[in-house]
Short mmCIF file of all heavy atoms in Angstrom, two decimals:
data_model
loop_
_atom_site.label_atom_id
_atom_site.label_comp_id
_atom_site.label_asym_id
_atom_site.label_seq_id
_atom_site.Cartn_x
_atom_site.Cartn_y
_atom_site.Cartn_z
N GLY N 1 -9.24 6.93 1.19
CA GLY N 1 -9.44 7.72 0.00
C GLY N 1 -8.19 7.96 -0.81
O GLY N 1 -8.28 8.43 -1.95
N ARG N 2 -7.03 7.64 -0.25
CA ARG N 2 -5.77 7.84 -0.95
C ARG N 2 -5.03 6.54 -1.23
O ARG N 2 -4.37 6.41 -2.25
CB ARG N 2 -4.85 8.76 -0.14
CG ARG N 2 -5.41 10.15 0.09
CD ARG N 2 -4.38 11.08 0.72
NE ARG N 2 -3.98 10.63 2.06
CZ ARG N 2 -2.74 10.28 2.39
NH1 ARG N 2 -1.77 10.34 1.49
NH2 ARG N 2 -2.47 9.90 3.63
N PHE N 3 -5.15 5.57 -0.33
CA PHE N 3 -4.45 4.30 -0.46
C PHE N 3 -5.44 3.19 -0.78
O PHE N 3 -6.59 3.22 -0.32
CB PHE N 3 -3.72 3.92 0.83
CG PHE N 3 -2.54 4.78 1.18
CD1 PHE N 3 -2.27 5.98 0.52
CD2 PHE N 3 -1.68 4.38 2.20
CE1 PHE N 3 -1.19 6.76 0.86
CE2 PHE N 3 -0.58 5.16 2.54
CZ PHE N 3 -0.34 6.35 1.88
N THR N 4 -5.00 2.21 -1.54
CA THR N 4 -5.81 1.06 -1.87
C THR N 4 -5.00 -0.21 -1.71
O THR N 4 -3.92 -0.33 -2.31
CB THR N 4 -6.36 1.14 -3.30
OG1 THR N 4 -7.12 2.34 -3.47
CG2 THR N 4 -7.27 -0.06 -3.59
N ILE N 5 -5.50 -1.14 -0.92
CA ILE N 5 -4.85 -2.43 -0.77
C ILE N 5 -5.57 -3.44 -1.64
O ILE N 5 -6.80 -3.41 -1.77
CB ILE N 5 -4.82 -2.88 0.70
CG1 ILE N 5 -3.93 -4.11 0.88
CG2 ILE N 5 -6.22 -3.12 1.24
CD1 ILE N 5 -3.65 -4.46 2.33
N SER N 6 -4.82 -4.33 -2.24
CA SER N 6 -5.42 -5.34 -3.10
C SER N 6 -4.55 -6.58 -3.12
O SER N 6 -3.37 -6.55 -2.78
CB SER N 6 -5.61 -4.80 -4.52
OG SER N 6 -4.37 -4.47 -5.11
N ARG N 7 -5.15 -7.67 -3.51
CA ARG N 7 -4.44 -8.92 -3.70
C ARG N 7 -4.31 -9.22 -5.17
O ARG N 7 -5.20 -8.91 -5.96
CB ARG N 7 -5.17 -10.05 -2.97
CG ARG N 7 -5.09 -9.99 -1.47
CD ARG N 7 -6.08 -10.91 -0.83
NE ARG N 7 -5.92 -12.30 -1.25
CZ ARG N 7 -6.69 -13.30 -0.85
NH1 ARG N 7 -7.69 -13.05 0.00
NH2 ARG N 7 -6.49 -14.52 -1.30
N GLY N 8 -3.20 -9.82 -5.53
CA GLY N 8 -2.97 -10.20 -6.91
C GLY N 8 -3.67 -11.49 -7.26
O GLY N 8 -4.30 -12.14 -6.43
N ASN N 9 -3.57 -11.83 -8.55
CA ASN N 9 -4.14 -13.11 -8.99
C ASN N 9 -3.49 -14.28 -8.26
O ASN N 9 -4.15 -15.29 -8.00
CB ASN N 9 -3.97 -13.26 -10.50
CG ASN N 9 -4.81 -12.27 -11.28
OD1 ASN N 9 -5.87 -11.85 -10.83
ND2 ASN N 9 -4.34 -11.91 -12.47
N VAL N 10 -2.22 -14.13 -7.95
CA VAL N 10 -1.54 -15.06 -7.06
C VAL N 10 -1.85 -14.61 -5.64
O VAL N 10 -1.48 -13.51 -5.24
CB VAL N 10 -0.03 -15.09 -7.31
CG1 VAL N 10 0.65 -16.05 -6.35
CG2 VAL N 10 0.27 -15.47 -8.75
N GLU N 11 -2.52 -15.43 -4.89
CA GLU N 11 -3.12 -15.01 -3.64
C GLU N 11 -2.13 -14.76 -2.52
O GLU N 11 -2.52 -14.23 -1.47
CB GLU N 11 -4.19 -16.01 -3.20
CG GLU N 11 -5.38 -16.05 -4.14
CD GLU N 11 -6.50 -16.95 -3.65
OE1 GLU N 11 -6.36 -17.55 -2.56
OE2 GLU N 11 -7.52 -17.04 -4.34
N ASN N 12 -0.87 -15.07 -2.73
CA ASN N 12 0.13 -14.75 -1.72
C ASN N 12 0.85 -13.44 -2.03
O ASN N 12 1.93 -13.18 -1.51
CB ASN N 12 1.13 -15.89 -1.55
CG ASN N 12 1.92 -16.16 -2.83
OD1 ASN N 12 1.58 -15.69 -3.91
ND2 ASN N 12 2.99 -16.93 -2.70
N THR N 13 0.25 -12.62 -2.87
CA THR N 13 0.79 -11.32 -3.23
C THR N 13 -0.19 -10.24 -2.83
O THR N 13 -1.40 -10.37 -3.04
CB THR N 13 1.07 -11.23 -4.74
OG1 THR N 13 1.96 -12.28 -5.13
CG2 THR N 13 1.69 -9.89 -5.10
N VAL N 14 0.32 -9.17 -2.25
CA VAL N 14 -0.52 -8.05 -1.86
C VAL N 14 0.14 -6.76 -2.31
O VAL N 14 1.37 -6.65 -2.34
CB VAL N 14 -0.77 -8.05 -0.33
CG1 VAL N 14 0.52 -7.79 0.45
CG2 VAL N 14 -1.85 -7.04 0.04
N TYR N 15 -0.68 -5.78 -2.68
CA TYR N 15 -0.21 -4.50 -3.16
C TYR N 15 -0.79 -3.37 -2.32
O TYR N 15 -1.87 -3.50 -1.74
CB TYR N 15 -0.61 -4.27 -4.62
CG TYR N 15 -0.13 -5.35 -5.56
CD1 TYR N 15 -0.95 -6.43 -5.87
CD2 TYR N 15 1.13 -5.28 -6.13
CE1 TYR N 15 -0.52 -7.42 -6.73
CE2 TYR N 15 1.57 -6.27 -6.99
CZ TYR N 15 0.74 -7.33 -7.29
OH TYR N 15 1.18 -8.31 -8.15
N LEU N 16 -0.08 -2.28 -2.29
CA LEU N 16 -0.59 -1.07 -1.68
C LEU N 16 -0.34 0.08 -2.64
O LEU N 16 0.81 0.49 -2.84
CB LEU N 16 0.09 -0.78 -0.33
CG LEU N 16 -0.45 0.44 0.42
CD1 LEU N 16 -1.88 0.19 0.88
CD2 LEU N 16 0.44 0.79 1.60
N GLN N 17 -1.41 0.55 -3.26
CA GLN N 17 -1.31 1.70 -4.14
C GLN N 17 -1.51 2.96 -3.32
O GLN N 17 -2.54 3.12 -2.66
CB GLN N 17 -2.34 1.63 -5.26
CG GLN N 17 -2.25 2.80 -6.24
CD GLN N 17 -3.24 2.69 -7.38
OE1 GLN N 17 -3.67 1.61 -7.74
NE2 GLN N 17 -3.60 3.82 -7.95
N MET N 18 -0.54 3.84 -3.35
CA MET N 18 -0.55 5.04 -2.55
C MET N 18 -0.58 6.25 -3.47
O MET N 18 0.35 6.47 -4.24
CB MET N 18 0.68 5.10 -1.63
CG MET N 18 0.85 3.87 -0.75
SD MET N 18 2.26 4.00 0.39
CE MET N 18 3.61 4.00 -0.79
N ASN N 19 -1.65 7.01 -3.38
CA ASN N 19 -1.83 8.20 -4.19
C ASN N 19 -1.84 9.44 -3.31
O ASN N 19 -2.13 9.37 -2.12
CB ASN N 19 -3.13 8.13 -4.99
CG ASN N 19 -3.16 6.99 -5.97
OD1 ASN N 19 -2.15 6.64 -6.57
ND2 ASN N 19 -4.35 6.41 -6.17
N ASN N 20 -1.57 10.57 -3.94
CA ASN N 20 -1.57 11.86 -3.24
C ASN N 20 -0.76 11.77 -1.95
O ASN N 20 -1.23 12.14 -0.87
CB ASN N 20 -3.00 12.30 -2.96
CG ASN N 20 -3.09 13.73 -2.48
OD1 ASN N 20 -2.21 14.55 -2.75
ND2 ASN N 20 -4.15 14.06 -1.75
N LEU N 21 0.45 11.32 -2.07
CA LEU N 21 1.29 11.13 -0.90
C LEU N 21 1.61 12.46 -0.23
O LEU N 21 1.81 13.48 -0.88
CB LEU N 21 2.57 10.41 -1.28
CG LEU N 21 2.39 8.90 -1.50
CD1 LEU N 21 3.53 8.34 -2.34
CD2 LEU N 21 2.31 8.19 -0.15
N LYS N 22 1.66 12.40 1.09
CA LYS N 22 1.94 13.56 1.91
C LYS N 22 3.21 13.33 2.71
O LYS N 22 3.59 12.18 2.96
CB LYS N 22 0.77 13.83 2.86
CG LYS N 22 -0.56 14.04 2.15
CD LYS N 22 -1.70 14.22 3.15
CE LYS N 22 -3.01 14.46 2.44
NZ LYS N 22 -4.12 14.66 3.39
N PRO N 23 3.87 14.40 3.13
CA PRO N 23 5.09 14.21 3.92
C PRO N 23 4.88 13.33 5.15
O PRO N 23 5.80 12.58 5.53
CB PRO N 23 5.47 15.64 4.32
CG PRO N 23 4.94 16.48 3.20
CD PRO N 23 3.64 15.82 2.80
N GLU N 24 3.72 13.40 5.76
CA GLU N 24 3.46 12.58 6.94
C GLU N 24 3.31 11.10 6.62
O GLU N 24 3.24 10.27 7.54
CB GLU N 24 2.21 13.08 7.69
CG GLU N 24 0.98 13.23 6.81
CD GLU N 24 0.77 14.65 6.33
OE1 GLU N 24 1.76 15.32 5.96
OE2 GLU N 24 -0.39 15.11 6.32
N ASP N 25 3.26 10.74 5.34
CA ASP N 25 3.24 9.34 4.95
C ASP N 25 4.63 8.72 4.95
O ASP N 25 4.76 7.50 4.82
CB ASP N 25 2.63 9.17 3.56
CG ASP N 25 1.17 9.56 3.51
OD1 ASP N 25 0.42 9.21 4.45
OD2 ASP N 25 0.76 10.20 2.51
N ALA N 26 5.65 9.53 5.06
CA ALA N 26 7.01 9.01 5.03
C ALA N 26 7.25 8.09 6.22
O ALA N 26 6.98 8.44 7.37
CB ALA N 26 8.01 10.16 5.05
N ALA N 27 7.74 6.91 5.94
CA ALA N 27 7.96 5.90 6.97
C ALA N 27 8.57 4.67 6.33
O ALA N 27 8.67 4.58 5.10
CB ALA N 27 6.64 5.52 7.66
N VAL N 28 8.96 3.73 7.16
CA VAL N 28 9.28 2.40 6.68
C VAL N 28 7.99 1.60 6.67
O VAL N 28 7.29 1.53 7.68
CB VAL N 28 10.34 1.71 7.55
CG1 VAL N 28 10.59 0.29 7.05
CG2 VAL N 28 11.64 2.51 7.55
N TYR N 29 7.67 1.04 5.54
CA TYR N 29 6.44 0.27 5.38
C TYR N 29 6.76 -1.21 5.44
O TYR N 29 7.66 -1.70 4.74
CB TYR N 29 5.76 0.61 4.05
CG TYR N 29 5.03 1.94 4.08
CD1 TYR N 29 5.74 3.13 4.14
CD2 TYR N 29 3.64 1.99 4.07
CE1 TYR N 29 5.08 4.35 4.19
CE2 TYR N 29 2.98 3.19 4.12
CZ TYR N 29 3.69 4.37 4.18
OH TYR N 29 3.03 5.58 4.23
N TYR N 30 6.02 -1.92 6.27
CA TYR N 30 6.25 -3.34 6.50
C TYR N 30 5.05 -4.15 6.02
O TYR N 30 3.91 -3.85 6.38
CB TYR N 30 6.46 -3.64 7.98
CG TYR N 30 7.68 -2.98 8.58
CD1 TYR N 30 7.60 -1.72 9.15
CD2 TYR N 30 8.91 -3.63 8.58
CE1 TYR N 30 8.71 -1.11 9.71
CE2 TYR N 30 10.02 -3.03 9.14
CZ TYR N 30 9.92 -1.78 9.70
OH TYR N 30 11.02 -1.18 10.26
N CYS N 31 5.32 -5.16 5.27
CA CYS N 31 4.30 -6.12 4.88
C CYS N 31 4.17 -7.17 5.97
O CYS N 31 5.17 -7.56 6.60
CB CYS N 31 4.67 -6.78 3.56
SG CYS N 31 3.46 -7.97 2.94
N THR N 32 2.96 -7.62 6.21
CA THR N 32 2.74 -8.64 7.22
C THR N 32 1.71 -9.65 6.73
O THR N 32 0.83 -9.31 5.94
CB THR N 32 2.29 -8.03 8.55
OG1 THR N 32 2.23 -9.04 9.56
CG2 THR N 32 0.91 -7.38 8.43
#
């Protein structure tokens, strides 16, 4: 309900839209 993952028009690209961020979301984020 807060984050949305999506792929770009170029299929080797991925996005993570993060809304309503909370302190517990703090971290190192890794793409895989």
